[in-house]
Amino acid sequence: MGKIIITAAMLLLSALAQAATPGSGIQVRAAWTRATPPQAPSAAGYLTLVNSGAQADRLVSVSSPAATRVELHESRMDGGVMRMRRLDGLDLPAGATVALAPSGAHLMLIGPRQPLVAGQTIELVLRFAHAPAQTVRLQVRPIDAAGPADDMHGMHM
């Protein structure tokens, strides 16, 4: 009986150690946005989320000191017309990579406090259902940029 309890305890400790292993959870890569003209009412932000954990998670909210508020949105073709709708969160399946990109799911920085200028960075705080909150920086690219800079693999603070 004692061996069974010790074996069970060791298995439980092993499982807990694996759950807390560095590298599990959510990684953020290629976080970027485009520069905005003066008086722009909003800006779109893009990034890639990699859930390397064994548990599904969900991006539930985003905030930034650079904007009045940040919302999750999705653009989708509907009857030949591109429509945008607000999302209440974004599912991150275990082991999956989810890209927030132009013409798909993305962040909307509503009410930028000042114009976004190419070369600067914008701080964001990402909050998840399970993983700890992460502070990341969006690299501001030129207004006509099609994607993140080639040398960017994600800027974390």
Side-chain angles (χ1 to χ4, degrees):
M1 178 78 169
K3 287 183 181 181
I4 293 173
I5 292 173
I6 291 172
T7 301
M10 291 180 72
L11 288 172
L12 178 61
L13 287 173
S14 174
L16 290 173
Q18 287 179 359
T21 303
S24 65
I26 311 297
Q27 290 105 40
V28 180
R29 297 185 179 149
W32 68 285
T33 186
R34 292 184 183 100
T36 59
Q39 309 302 320
S42 62
Y46 312 105
L47 49 84
T48 299
L49 299 166
V50 180
N51 183 354
S52 61
Q55 176 182 13
D57 209 330
R58 182 173 177 84
L59 178 62
V60 294
S61 70
V62 182
S63 62
S64 175
T68 303
R69 70 182 186 277
V70 181
E71 299 177 353
L72 288 161
H73 283 217
E74 178 182 54
S75 296
R76 181 175 285 181
M77 289 300 288
D78 181 18
V81 176
M82 183 66 81
R83 299 193 190 275
M84 187 168 55
R85 69 181 179 103
R86 186 175 178 184
L87 302 173
D88 64 356
L90 187 65
D91 291 330
L92 306 170
T97 297
V98 178
L100 282 73
S103 300
H106 58 277
L107 304 173
M108 287 299 298
L109 288 82
I110 311 290
R113 300 195 191 283
Q114 59 187 7
L116 306 183
V117 178
Q120 72 181 166
T121 58
I122 303 301
E123 183 178 303
L124 295 177
V125 178
L126 309 178
R127 290 178 187 82
F128 303 93
H130 304 290
Q134 288 190 39
T135 300
V136 299
R137 292 185 182 180
L138 294 180
Q139 177 68 40
V140 180
R141 303 281 295 134
I143 201 163
D144 60 349
D150 291 336
D151 59 347
M152 300 235 348
H153 297 292
M155 293 187 64
H156 297 276
M157 292 183 73

